[in-house]
Amino acid sequence: MKKIVLLLLTAVLFSNIVAFADDSTTPTDQLNAPFGWTNCKSLTTGDDYTTTGGNNGTRTITLKSTGSDQKAAIQNAIKQNDIVILDGSNGDFIVASPVSFGGYSNRTVVGINGARLCTQFYLTDEMKAALDKANVKSLSSSSGTGGNLSNGQYVSEKREQVTRQTLIDLTGDSNESLRNAGIFKISGGSNIIIRNLKFVGPGPCDVGGQDLITCTETTHLWVDHCEFTDGQDGNFDITQSANYVTVSWCTFGYTERAYDHMNTNLVGSSDSEDKNTLNVTFAYNIWGPGCNQRMPMARAGNIHLLNNYYNCAGASATVNPRKNSEFLIEGNYFETGVTKVFSQSGAIAWQFKDNTYKSASQPSGSGTVTMPYSYTALPSTDVPALLTSATGAGATLTDPLAIGTTGINAPFASPNGENSTIYNLSGQKVNSNYRGIVIKNERKYIQR
């Protein structure tokens, strides 16, 4: 196989070569633009809505870090502008509690120059030691096992009750302000784009706290090329009848700040969620070290997991359909050490297509799951290299406001057509037009 690849490359390099675009590695029908569920108006028709965010507006503002709490400044910028650019050249943006989008629609928020949004509170080694002393990791997280806190609040789960009481005793903060350690709350809006931002939380622990991003009752949201690290409750949760959401080219992970509750992505906050909502596409994302559960867990909706990379060795559960959800699990790569790739409870249907499992076998499917929108599924074996490349998942964009053909991942001219033969970079013949080698009518093309 290596010899075939070398022969193909040699033929290309010494023939009539046409090179397309820049260093793009994105499939041709998903190039630097919203796709998937975010571009759907209904459960049965796709590609009939265009998520534009604030890019049709004229009000734009650029913010830089002041080194202090900028929640109010960021929130006011989102309220008054169509496009908010967070410039990281002066350092991190700090927020003491989540920035609310307050029902605003037609908004775009992007990061440049490595912009990071960080919570003001973070877990310390002293806090972790106190939680260990209280043996919280051994306590029950079942409802009905908890009790009252010293501030009069009732907590239904024993583990959360003891965690919160321990931190109250240690910090003397009976108001539990530390539980507000989140970054964005998106609620009640529509047509929103968030790109190229790094979200950094305090480290997860079981205090019933905030997510880095919480999305509720919002439609047509595209979150693209972002990085999520150390969310307190979750990294990015989509709940309460949110609908038509695409999460693409993002990374999720945890660092040494993490204590417990590394449950990264929840779709649906209760079993009573409307089964016709919470339709979400997760495409080209990485679930990395530290991620333990919910990648994602969904209680409703039609969930498409397309060409994601699961590099979370030791996770207790990765893909988790529940209740009224349907999952299409397609073209994903489960790395060595990921042994528990699937667990379902009461789901309607789940289907596996062309996944790679390095330390597990494919679970049994149940039913057929389809998507109403157009897309190209890459071979799962190409996923790790693609997503971990310099232009892969994470905040890797140089111009996050350029969307579509003008962007960093601008499409190359299509070589598809009669008498075309397409190979991926492993020398395998494929049917999809994407990065690789195309031989058409005696001409050779390199697609990068």
Side-chain angles (χ1 to χ4, degrees):
M1 183 60 71
K2 290 182 179 178
K3 189 173 293 185
I4 293 173
V5 175
L6 288 173
L7 288 172
L8 282 168
L9 288 171
T10 302
V12 171
L13 292 173
F14 290 94
S15 301
N16 187 6
I17 296 176
V18 181
F20 298 98
D22 49 13
D23 289 330
S24 171
T25 54
T26 315
T28 56
D29 61 347
Q30 294 143 25
L31 279 162
N32 196 47
F35 65 96
W37 274 116
T38 190
N39 282 352
C40 297
K41 289 183 179 178
S42 75
L43 301 180
T44 56
T45 61
D47 306 316
D48 51 2
Y49 181 96
T50 302
T51 301
T52 60
N55 283 285
N56 291 332
T58 59
R59 303 172 300 169
T60 301
I61 189 172
T62 299
L63 300 179
K64 291 188 176 183
S65 172
T66 63
S68 58
D69 178 18
Q70 287 182 266
K71 172 188 174 176
I74 297 171
Q75 191 160 302
N76 192 53
I78 293 170
K79 177 181 179 180
Q80 296 183 356
N81 295 274
D82 307 300
I83 298 172
V84 177
I85 302 169
L86 299 178
D87 183 347
S89 59
N90 279 2
D92 294 339
F93 293 87
I94 307 299
V95 295
S97 59
V99 174
S100 173
F101 278 63
Y104 305 127
S105 297
N106 310 316
R107 296 292 194 273
T108 294
V109 182
V110 302
I112 61 174
N113 295 322
R116 299 201 324 167
L117 285 155
C118 304
T119 58
Q120 190 173 60
F121 164 77
Y122 62 93
L123 282 174
T124 65
D125 290 341
E126 183 184 16
M127 292 173 181
K128 293 179 186 178
L131 295 172
D132 281 340
K133 187 175 181 180
N135 295 315
V136 298
K137 291 181 179 179
S138 67
L139 301 177
S140 174
S141 57
S142 299
S143 181
T145 60
N148 290 320
L149 301 175
S150 60
N151 62 10
Q153 295 291 316
Y154 174 76
V155 181
S156 66
E157 300 172 6
K158 187 67 172 179
R159 186 166 178 164
E160 181 183 335
Q161 177 202 3
V162 175
T163 298
R164 290 171 62 179
Q165 187 61 60
T166 299
L167 293 176
I168 290 172
D169 293 342
L170 182 64
T171 64
D173 180 11
S174 61
N175 292 322
E176 299 185 274
S177 58
L178 59 87
R179 297 180 67 226
N180 288 319
I183 295 178
F184 281 170
K185 277 193 172 182
I186 306 170
S187 179
S190 183
N191 189 29
I192 297 170
I193 293 174
I194 299 173
R195 302 190 83 194
N196 212 51
L197 284 166
K198 300 177 182 181
F199 298 89
V200 181
C205 63
D206 196 0
V207 294
Q210 301 291 329
D211 312 309
L212 292 176
I213 295 184
T214 299
C215 171
T216 62
E217 300 177 327
T218 297
T219 60
H220 306 295
L221 169 67
W222 182 39
V223 177
D224 177 68
H225 276 95
C226 290
E227 300 177 15
F228 297 84
T229 308
D230 287 333
Q232 184 177 63
D233 185 59
N235 277 323
F236 180 12
D237 286 1
I238 303 163
T239 64
Q240 296 179 31
S241 298
N243 210 356
Y244 308 127
V245 177
T246 293
V247 183
S248 56
W249 299 97
C250 291
T251 65
F252 303 95
Y254 296 91
T255 69
E256 68 279 356
R257 282 188 179 180
Y259 182 74
D260 66 351
H261 201 75
M262 285 81 86
N263 301 343
T264 178
N265 301 95
L266 174 66
V267 179
S269 56
S270 75
D271 287 345
S272 62
E273 295 269 17
D274 183 348
K275 67 179 181 180
N276 294 318
T277 65
L278 299 171
N279 297 289
V280 184
T281 300
F282 287 92
Y284 317 113
N285 302 296
I286 298 175
W287 279 280
C291 293
N292 185 50
Q293 295 185 47
R294 300 181 183 178
M295 298 175 245
M297 186 266 270
R299 291 187 169 101
N302 191 321
I303 311 300
H304 192 189
L305 300 180
L306 174 66
N307 290 138
N308 299 291
Y309 182 32
Y310 290 85
N311 188 22
C312 46
S316 64
T318 54
V319 181
N320 185 201
R322 292 179 59 179
K323 191 59 174 175
N324 290 316
S325 66
E326 300 180 64
F327 273 57
L328 176 56
I329 306 157
E330 182 173 14
N332 302 283
Y333 194 100
F334 295 87
E335 188 55 90
T336 302
V338 183
T339 58
K340 297 181 179 180
V341 301
F342 182 79
S343 174
Q344 77 83 28
S345 176
I348 296 172
W350 55 97
Q351 182 179 2
F352 298 92
K353 294 176 67 175
D354 181 40
N355 300 287
T356 293
Y357 311 92
K358 297 297 289 183
S359 296
S361 57
Q362 179 167 292
S364 298
S366 178
T368 300
V369 183
T370 60
M371 299 297 141
Y373 51 82
S374 59
Y375 66 93
T376 297
L378 307 182
S380 59
T381 51
D382 285 357
V383 165
L386 172 65
L387 269 58
T388 60
S389 69
T391 56
T396 61
L397 300 176
T398 57
D399 187 358
L401 286 177
I403 294 174
T405 58
T406 61
I408 185 173
N409 291 325
F412 42 76
S414 174
N416 274 354
E418 189 176 358
N419 299 323
S420 295
T421 305
I422 308 172
Y423 298 86
N424 65 20
L425 294 181
S426 298
Q428 300 166 317
K429 187 183 292 185
V430 296
N431 296 321
S432 301
N433 176 17
Y434 75 106
R435 69 188 183 100
I437 301 170
V438 174
I439 302 176
K440 176 185 177 184
N441 295 330
E442 303 304 321
R443 296 188 59 147
K444 282 78 176 178
Y445 300 78
I446 297 177
Q447 299 178 186
R448 297 178 295 173

